Amino acid sequence: MTYSGEVTVGGPADVHELKDLMITKIAVGPMNNNAYLLRCRATDEQMLIDAANDAQALLGTIGDDGIASVVTTHQHGDHWQALAEVVAATGARTYAGREDAGGIPVATDVLLDDGDTVRVGNVELTARHLVGHTPGSIALVYDDPHGHPHVFTGDCLFPGGVGNTWKDPEAFASLIHDVETKIFAVLPDETWVYPGHGNDTTLGAERPHLPEWHARGW
């Protein structure tokens, strides 16, 4: 089956099979949050990005092999509703951006700063600190040595624009700057984008619209 990234709450997960990494996408909760289960194909170690909601659905997706870690992309409640239950069931280590950890009601074991490395088995991802949607939002970049990069953007980048900055000009300026300089400026058009809600996109699909986003201010 070809991966589409189109999932619905209560529906089946979609699996993106890369040479070294399996990415399983599932939608959960009343805000249609995406959660991503990453599995290293060499070691079978697993990591979850955003234990957003519906712990039973997430644990069912995780399966008997468990997870070694959970990364929370940012402090907004819809992205950690199932975190306590998932951690209690799996013993996973928790990761979050340093500036957002205080807003997450589950202790963060590893505080992430810009450029830090997060590992799942033999696979390395790079944390990028994107400020504006929240003070400590983190995106994770997987630079696939066998293909194009993949980036998990939380609520900082979606099809059609950057994340919500609530009409705050300073927050928007910060977020669009960080997304442009740390994502668009350094990654190619083929980069696959996995957002915190809704369908996936690519940087190539979004890049032509950057001037529009600047002009509208959101």
Side-chain angles (χ1 to χ4, degrees):
M1 294 290 290
T2 301
Y3 175 79
S4 70
E6 297 178 6
V7 294
T8 58
V9 176
D14 199 6
V15 182
H16 204 169
E17 298 192 25
L18 310 179
K19 185 169 183 179
D20 295 336
L21 186 67
M22 302 257 308
I23 302 167
T24 300
K25 178 180 182 179
I26 184 173
V28 293
M31 297 185 70
N32 191 35
N33 284 76
N34 296 324
Y36 299 95
L37 180 67
L38 278 55
R39 185 183 188 100
C40 171
R41 301 185 76 151
T43 68
D44 287 331
E45 183 173 300
Q46 297 191 118
M47 176 178 77
L48 183 68
I49 299 175
D50 283 346
N53 206 300
D54 196 345
Q56 292 311 304
L58 295 178
L59 290 169
T61 302
I62 290 165
D64 294 338
D65 289 342
I67 50 173
S69 54
V70 183
V71 178
T72 302
T73 58
H74 63 289
Q75 65 180 310
H76 288 160
D78 59 307
H79 290 260
W80 48 252
Q81 291 294 315
L83 182 59
E85 192 170 345
V86 168
V87 169
T90 62
R93 288 172 62 80
T94 54
Y95 293 69
R98 183 178 300 275
E99 289 79 6
D100 269 18
I104 300 169
V106 177
T108 299
D109 297 317
V110 181
L111 299 172
L112 295 173
D113 296 308
D114 188 59
D116 284 352
T117 296
V118 179
R119 297 183 64 91
V120 52
N122 295 341
V123 171
E124 288 189 355
L125 300 96
T126 302
R128 301 315 311 255
H129 182 202
L130 307 174
V131 182
H133 183 68
T134 67
S137 288
I138 291 291
L140 293 177
V141 179
Y142 171 51
D143 192 359
D144 185 355
H146 310 289
H148 56 74
H150 300 256
V151 56
F152 302 85
T153 56
D155 283 2
C156 289
L157 178 63
F158 296 97
V162 296
N164 195 345
T165 52
W166 297 275
K167 300 182 179 180
D168 180 336
E170 289 186 7
F172 172 75
S174 175
L175 183 55
I176 194 91
H177 171 270
D178 283 1
V179 166
E180 282 191 302
T181 59
K182 297 180 182 181
I183 303 296
F184 281 97
V186 296
L187 297 173
D189 284 351
E190 296 78 15
T191 301
W192 197 279
V193 176
Y194 305 82
H197 305 263
N199 293 338
D200 300 353
T201 188
T202 63
L203 291 188
E206 306 305 322
R207 195 184 303 273
H209 303 288
L210 284 166
E212 301 169 30
W213 304 353
H214 274 280
R216 75 189 186 195
W218 56 272

